[in-house]
Amino acid sequence: MFPFFIPTIMNTSKISLLSKVILLVVSALLFGSLLFPMWRIELTAPQYPEGLVLLLHANKIGGDVAIINGLNHYIGMKTLHTEDFMEFRILPYIFGFFGLFALAMVFVARKKGVILLFISFVLFGVLAGVDFYRWNYEYGHNLNPDAAIVVPGMAYQPPLIGYKQLLNFGAYSIPDIGGWMMILAGLLLFIIVAKETHLLRRFKKQNIQPALFLLLLFSVFSCSNNQVVPLKLNVDTCDFCKMSIADGKYGAEVITQKGRVYKFDDIMCMVNYCKENADTKMDAYYVNDFAQDNNLIPAETAFFLSGGTIQSPMHGGVIAFSSEKGSKEFESKLNAKPVTWDAMISK
């Protein structure tokens, strides 16, 4: 599994002073993480403008638990209670074990022990992720059929990480302070292992093209959270004017940094929505190419026409094109004038 570690594992030489100092930091991070929430799930909805937060500590569930349990009751989801989870009883001991393990390695100072600590920590992280996904799946799918609100085929499983829409609620799952401390501890352990085993030198001696390909593939998937989502005509509703999106040629879409998608039936609906929600961090803007059917393109690269005889759904009077040539063809036909994206968004 780790062929480049094998010669080093047999080597019992001691680690450097710098690695010992980093191990002290790792130990402090592991123990310190017990004082903060490990994970958080944020829920946003029109009726809760300030949002609701579920905080997962190593030993308890915190945050707006009572309110969330009340909402869960209506959709038939089991309520959340700390005592129902065995994990909250054993996780503090596991984190304490790793903290003591790291501290012990400062004095034992053997490479073999540090490598063992790193591998066991990574395996624990994988198992914890699998358990968290299982926990989310069971609570999101095992619903009471006699609940007040039943949507056939609907599940309420929060995302493992990132954003997901659940009816009128947006769920955003991300590590909290304690979780980031654990991640930092893992990265520091990797740095120690790489330094003490001369990992970079070993990679230089080997053909690393397959590894680079896998890294690139991982990067592509990791960046896919904020990809454009096609408009569903006569199904989706404009998030600004609340009208049904019937004609995709005028449609638009914005994606926040958290990955939430907002859809609009008129380009100016998107512009006005973004101005009214200036505090929300937007990550990507898309507009429909007027010359094509329901084809969203990046707003920053689009060519816009405004005014004239353009009849958009909410009278915004703006259409977009993927090419300047396409824009020129309609400019005289519609008696419209060119306008830039920066000019519209900055008004």
Side-chain angles (χ1 to χ4, degrees):
M1 185 175 181
F2 301 94
F4 43 83
F5 284 158
I6 295 175
T8 310
I9 292 178
M10 302 306 296
N11 185 350
T12 57
S13 59
K14 293 193 173 184
I15 61 176
S16 66
L17 176 61
L18 177 59
S19 294
K20 291 180 182 179
V21 173
I22 297 176
L23 277 172
L24 283 174
V25 175
V26 169
S27 180
L29 286 170
L30 292 171
F31 282 120
S33 66
L34 294 171
L35 303 176
F36 302 95
M38 294 289 173
W39 209 269
R40 65 189 291 121
I41 298 177
E42 300 176 5
L43 300 173
T44 58
Q47 62 268 43
Y48 295 99
E50 296 183 359
L52 301 173
V53 180
L54 188 69
L55 299 176
L56 303 179
H57 298 253
N59 62 339
K60 65 178 181 180
I61 302 175
D64 302 307
V65 184
I67 300 176
I68 293 173
N69 278 339
L71 294 171
N72 288 349
H73 173 74
Y74 285 105
I75 60 175
M77 184 183 291
K78 186 179 178 182
T79 54
L80 301 168
H81 304 282
T82 298
E83 56 272 18
D84 293 338
F85 297 90
M86 179 184 65
E87 291 87 343
F88 293 125
R89 294 192 291 271
I90 64 175
L91 279 177
Y93 295 102
I94 294 177
F95 294 156
F97 165 77
F98 280 118
L100 289 173
F101 197 162
L103 186 61
M105 287 302 103
V106 175
F107 302 98
V108 176
R110 298 290 181 179
K111 293 182 181 180
K112 182 178 179 180
V114 175
I115 294 170
L116 180 61
L117 170 61
F118 173 69
I119 294 176
S120 59
F121 189 75
V122 170
L123 290 176
F124 164 72
V126 173
L127 291 175
V130 171
D131 183 65
F132 186 41
Y133 177 85
R134 177 194 61 81
W135 179 76
N136 281 340
Y137 184 89
E138 289 183 356
Y139 268 75
H141 286 77
N142 297 333
L143 307 175
N144 184 350
D146 299 322
I149 300 175
V150 177
V151 181
M154 182 68 189
Y156 302 93
Q157 179 183 357
L160 184 64
I161 186 169
Y163 177 84
K164 186 176 182 181
Q165 188 72 28
L166 303 172
L167 289 182
N168 65 325
F169 274 88
Y172 182 59
S173 178
I174 191 174
D176 209 317
I177 296 175
W180 289 118
M181 293 173 72
M182 296 288 289
I183 293 172
L184 179 57
L187 290 175
L188 291 176
L189 283 175
F190 174 76
I191 291 173
I192 296 174
V193 171
K195 176 181 178 298
E196 297 296 336
T197 62
H198 307 291
L199 187 57
L200 295 180
R201 293 183 189 175
R202 294 175 185 275
F203 272 127
K204 289 180 181 179
K205 295 179 181 179
Q206 299 180 21
N207 183 3
I208 62 172
Q209 290 183 356
L212 292 176
F213 173 76
L214 290 175
L215 180 61
L216 177 61
L217 190 64
F218 174 79
S219 300
V220 170
F221 280 108
S222 64
C223 294
S224 63
N225 186 49
N226 284 1
Q227 292 299 307
V228 61
V229 179
L231 300 176
K232 296 180 180 178
L233 302 183
N234 300 309
V235 174
D236 289 333
T237 301
C238 178
D239 283 296
F240 183 73
C241 67
K242 308 305 179 184
M243 300 293 289
S244 176
I245 302 177
D247 191 345
K249 286 187 176 183
Y250 303 94
E253 181 177 295
V254 63
I255 306 177
T256 69
Q257 288 187 355
K258 292 183 176 182
R260 181 165 185 175
V261 178
Y262 293 97
K263 300 180 179 182
F264 308 93
D265 64 344
D266 191 305
I267 292 175
M268 291 310 297
C269 277
M270 177 178 71
V271 172
N272 292 328
Y273 179 88
C274 293
K275 290 179 179 179
E276 289 188 3
N277 296 272
D279 294 337
T280 302
K281 295 180 180 179
M282 306 301 181
D283 187 69
Y285 304 87
Y286 294 94
V287 291
N288 197 87
D289 184 349
F290 186 78
Q292 301 184 47
D293 290 329
N294 201 15
N295 178 37
L296 291 168
I297 58 176
E300 293 84 352
T301 62
F303 297 85
F304 296 91
L305 292 178
S306 175
T309 58
I310 296 174
Q311 298 293 326
S312 60
M314 299 307 295
H315 307 291
V318 176
I319 55 177
F321 298 86
S322 59
S323 68
E324 187 174 12
K325 180 181 178 181
S327 173
K328 291 293 184 182
E329 290 178 358
F330 280 87
E331 185 175 338
S332 58
K333 291 180 182 179
L334 300 172
N335 194 27
K337 296 181 179 180
V339 61
T340 65
W341 169 249
D342 289 338
M344 289 191 295
I345 202 71
S346 62
K347 284 183 180 179

